[in-house]
Structures are given as structure tokens and as C-alpha cells.
Amino acid sequence: MGDYRTVTVGTDGSSSARKAVVRAAEVAADSGARLMIICAYETRDPSSDRNQAEAERALGDEAYKIIGASPAEETLRSARDEAVRAGAENVDTVAVHGDPTDAIIEKSELYRSDLVVVGNKGLAGFAGRLLGSVPQAVSRRSKSDVLIVHTV
């Protein structure tokens, strides 16, 4: 694994995503690579509050939706701290407005990531069928290696 120079990982602050961040940090530390932690967020649209509330009720514990840049920045600070504790030395973070899959793919290409790390949450189950799976979409669209970490 020593060939990786830049490792990208997405997080939403969930326990599953934290496990992916730790694994990405371990790989980055082993490779001496830069670690890019991405957090996608959405802004609250008053016209969509009802639809969002319905989706959150339907998804229950699977509703890891980050609304606004401030929660995303806090999520990134926590993820950076965990990555450093896991051994990563060169850690950068970025909050991106928009879809998580698009954010991970676009930033991994922008930063020329050699490896994209995602958790396996969403590959099966109700949320994956309803909203689509971020890990599945990232693995399909990424131009670099993808590591899917068993987090659930």
C-alpha cells in the first residue's frame, strides 16, 4: 500500500463513517500519504422541510443528513482529530455543499487521490434501496482505487 500519495474519505459523522475515517487514516499513515476528509452538506430549504421530515422518519437511524455548513465543519473537526489519533500526519478537510457521492468523486479527482475510502453502510437495506448507495456509486464512478471498509 505504499504507493498511495493522497487518500480521500467521506464522512457524515455517523459511527459507520468514523470507522471509515480511521481506516483511511491508517492507510494514509502507512503510506505517508496526505489524507483528505470530505463532508457533504445541504442547506435547509423551507419548501422541502416536509419531504425531509418524512424521509428522516422513514429512515430512522439511517438518516445521517447534515444540514448547513456549521454542522459539517464540526463533523470535519472531529474526523480530523480521529484521523490524527489513528496516525495520519498530513490531514486536510473540506466541506462541500451538495450530494455526498458527487462531492467525494469531484474532490478526489481535484486532489488527484490515489485511493478513495468509503464505509459499506448503505450497500444493502432500506436506505440503500430508497436513496441509492454512496459506496456503490463511488465504487462505480471513481477513477482511482476504492477501499470499501466493513463498518456495519
Side-chain angles (χ1 to χ4, degrees):
M1 287 203 183
D3 293 337
Y4 296 121
R5 292 181 309 277
T6 304
V7 176
T8 298
V9 62
T11 185
D12 61 7
S14 66
S15 61
S16 175
R18 285 193 300 271
K19 290 176 185 176
V21 167
V22 168
R23 185 64 184 120
E26 292 168 347
V27 171
D30 288 347
S31 301
R34 172 186 187 197
L35 177 62
M36 291 297 308
I37 306 174
I38 312 277
C39 182
Y41 68 91
E42 295 181 4
T43 52
R44 188 169 294 281
D45 175 4
S47 66
S48 67
D49 281 352
R50 191 176 125 198
N51 291 339
Q52 180 179 329
E54 289 173 10
E56 288 175 355
R57 265 194 306 279
L59 295 173
D61 289 340
E62 308 247 341
Y64 297 110
K65 194 156 233 183
I66 295 175
I67 307 297
S70 292
E73 292 296 338
E74 180 56 35
T75 295
L76 288 169
R77 276 191 290 278
S78 295
R80 174 193 280 278
D81 291 346
E82 288 200 49
V84 169
R85 283 193 299 273
E89 294 180 10
N90 185 2
V91 182
D92 292 311
T93 62
V94 62
V96 180
H97 179 265
D99 175 75
T101 301
D102 293 340
I104 292 168
I105 295 298
E106 289 168 12
K107 293 302 178 184
S108 69
E109 290 176 3
L110 176 67
Y111 297 114
R112 295 187 174 130
S113 295
D114 307 296
L115 177 67
V116 178
V117 179
V118 292
N120 68 335
K121 187 170 185 75
L123 287 175
F126 179 70
R129 289 190 304 272
L130 180 66
L131 300 173
S133 164
V134 171
Q136 181 182 52
V138 167
S139 68
R140 197 174 49 248
R141 292 177 47 195
S142 179
K143 295 178 182 172
S144 61
D145 291 352
V146 175
L147 172 61
I148 299 176
V149 178
H150 184 73
T151 61
V152 289

